[in-house]
Amino acid sequence: MDTRSVHNIRIERLWVDFTNGVGGKWRSFFDMLGVHGGLNIDNPYHLWILHFLFLDAINEDITLWANMWNCHKMSLSNERNKSPMEMKTLSLIQHGPRGYDHDVELDEQEIAEYGIDWEDAHDNRIQNHHRNGNGLDIMADNPFISYRPEVHPYVQVDEVPNPLTDIQMTSFVQQLGALPADLLQTKCMDRRKDLFLAALNIAIEVVA
């Protein structure tokens, strides 16, 4: 990780934690569906079933993770035993809603290094996560560009239309609702694969 990356180290660290806590689980699940569950990621109607079945569960996992992260104790050397929520609250009390006192004078080196977490910047786990998530930057050696992110990842998420008519949708929901409650409410990823397969088969029968 070169000098252009250290200014992004805190968000990179957050992405590592998020991937370990939430993102990695769902990515592995979708990969498993592609190999063993009949999922065709190029079929927009398969993606519609994923949205219908799991979007609420994904959002619930993200919300739970965010709440837990906001309340967990940080290991920062100057903020021992404080959670992000506590640090935010104390900062508001000490500095007001506008944050840090901008009248404090910093020298050039302090300005250049402001916001850098050097301990995390040298963490191999975070560096590897950064390399795996960022492609080669053809402008990386341009001396006139400072602190430029290697890439600006953009994920196009197209809205997937409901392929079913009103009558088909009613039948789909009814048949899906007739599945065992423990399957519909499961949080086990292996069982969620079974749920996807069941929903896919119901959709095929409804449209046939």
Side-chain angles (χ1 to χ4, degrees), residues 25-152:
K25 177 184 77 172
W26 284 100
R27 178 174 181 172
S28 296
F29 173 65
F30 296 139
D31 287 342
M32 177 182 68
L33 287 184
V35 176
H36 303 292
L39 172 64
N40 179 359
I41 61 173
D42 295 320
N43 186 328
Y45 304 131
H46 283 204
L47 300 184
W48 176 83
I49 293 178
L50 288 182
H51 287 195
F52 186 86
L53 293 177
F54 303 121
L55 190 57
D56 287 344
I58 293 172
N59 286 331
E60 181 181 334
D61 277 0
I62 292 173
T63 299
L64 177 62
W65 180 87
N67 290 336
M68 292 177 62
W69 193 91
N70 285 335
C71 295
H72 87 288
K73 301 300 182 182
M74 301 288 286
S75 59
L76 300 176
S77 58
N78 60 336
E79 296 288 354
R80 294 292 183 186
N81 299 321
K82 291 189 180 70
S83 69
M85 186 63 70
E86 289 172 327
M87 286 188 284
K88 175 186 176 182
T89 302
L90 289 173
S91 176
L92 289 173
I93 294 173
Q94 294 171 356
H95 304 295
R98 296 185 64 85
Y100 191 76
D101 185 356
H102 296 285
D103 293 333
V104 175
E105 294 186 4
L106 302 175
D107 60 35
E108 291 185 5
Q109 182 174 350
E110 289 173 324
I111 293 174
E113 297 181 355
Y114 185 78
I116 300 175
D117 188 329
W118 288 110
E119 183 176 344
D120 281 344
H122 295 94
D123 188 317
N124 288 331
R125 183 171 59 98
I126 298 175
Q127 291 187 29
N128 290 334
H129 186 276
H130 174 80
R131 294 191 192 98
N132 292 336
N134 293 274
L136 180 64
D137 183 5
I138 60 175
M139 300 291 288
D141 295 326
N142 190 322
F144 296 99
I145 299 178
S146 298
Y147 309 130
R148 177 181 182 272
E150 279 76 358
V151 293
H152 296 275

